[in-house]
Amino acid sequence: MSESHNHASELVKHGASTRQQKRTCTSVTSKCGENSSPFFLARSIAVAMGIRFIVMVVICSAMIINSLFNQEAPISLKENYCGPCPKNWICYRNNCYQFFNESKSLYQSQASCMSQNSSLLKIYSREEQDFFKLVKSYHWMGLVQISTNVSWQWEDGSILSPNQLTMVEMQNGNCAVYGSSFKAYTENCLTPNTYICMQRIV
């Protein structure tokens, strides 16, 4: 009789323990195996989406900063409006420039520039016109040789100074084309070449 009573009381205790365990597992703060709370799942999704958003913002910011600091060479870059330049001309340090791809003699090139209220290119200062060091092809500039004293003179009448350009003798000619790195090359004035027109604003 006492043996069956003991067995019955053990069953009662086991039942109470099982009910207690179930009650504990159903509470919001419990972590019973795989029975996770739906709030925990929603919180995990929200955290993952937040991290993804932050990563996207960082990537976009890096791309914008990179595009700002890695600009193209100034020749192809249309800078902010800096003076009353004609439409589609390059405005650089308050001067207007236009590169013409048509090949003409020096005199035809001069006439073309004059018709657009400009003159052929003059190098005033290497620092002020530093983007011309990037030019790779030959273009007429407003520089001719005066036969009387063999000096080179710009269209405006001023004499070429050594700190403006380096003259390179290529062939017999009294005119000059601009090459690159502030070098001018002698050229026959009647030889067709592309040319650069310039408007000096200041």
Side-chain angles (χ1 to χ4, degrees), residues 1-2 6 18 48 54 58 128 139 170 186 188:
M1 183 75 175
S2 66
N6 286 342
T18 305
I54 291 169
V58 169
E128 182 184 323
H139 304 276
M170 291 292 288
T186 56
N188 185 309

Side-chain angles (χ1 to χ4, degrees), residues 5-182:
H5 179 69
N6 286 342
H7 183 66
S9 63
E10 277 179 19
L11 284 173
V12 170
K13 282 180 186 175
H14 179 69
S17 168
T18 305
R19 280 195 302 275
Q20 178 64 30
Q21 210 171 25
K22 280 183 183 174
R23 226 181 286 126
T24 306
C25 285
T26 55
S27 73
V28 177
T29 57
S30 69
K31 296 181 182 177
C32 292
E34 296 176 2
N35 296 330
S36 299
S37 165
F39 293 113
F40 177 76
L41 182 62
R43 196 163 52 244
S44 299
I45 292 172
V47 168
M49 289 179 70
I51 291 171
R52 184 179 178 189
F53 175 75
I54 291 169
V55 168
M56 293 290 288
V57 167
V58 169
I59 290 172
C60 289
S61 300
M63 288 172 67
I64 291 169
I65 291 169
N66 189 46
S67 68
L68 288 174
F69 284 101
N70 292 316
Q71 304 264 351
E72 290 182 355
I75 273 182
S76 60
L77 175 67
K78 297 287 193 281
E79 293 200 348
N80 292 333
Y81 184 76
C82 62
C85 291
K87 187 178 179 182
N88 298 324
W89 284 47
I90 295 172
C91 188
Y92 187 75
R93 297 200 183 180
N94 289 323
N95 292 315
C96 307
Y97 302 96
Q98 182 61 284
F99 291 72
F100 290 93
N101 292 322
E102 55 190 357
S103 294
K104 296 185 175 186
S105 71
L106 174 84
Y107 308 111
Q108 292 170 329
S109 301
Q110 283 178 326
S112 176
C113 290
M114 284 177 65
S115 71
Q116 300 179 69
N117 298 317
S118 61
S119 60
L120 284 170
L121 171 68
K122 176 181 179 180
I123 299 297
Y124 286 87
S125 161
R126 297 189 185 201
E127 292 75 26
E128 182 184 323
Q129 296 164 289
D130 56 356
F131 81 101
F132 276 102
K133 65 188 174 187
L134 302 171
V135 172
K136 296 301 179 188
S137 55
Y138 298 117
H139 304 276
W140 283 123
M141 64 171 75
L143 189 62
V144 294
Q145 190 175 37
I146 305 167
S147 55
T148 53
N149 58 7
V150 200
S151 61
W152 288 87
Q153 181 177 296
W154 295 102
E155 277 183 294
D156 61 8
S158 61
I159 302 299
L160 173 69
S161 64
N163 63 339
Q164 289 174 315
L165 287 169
T166 302
M167 289 300 302
V168 179
E169 295 284 337
M170 291 292 288
Q171 58 177 304
N172 291 331
N174 296 325
C175 297
V177 289
Y178 182 83
S180 62
S181 301
F182 298 102

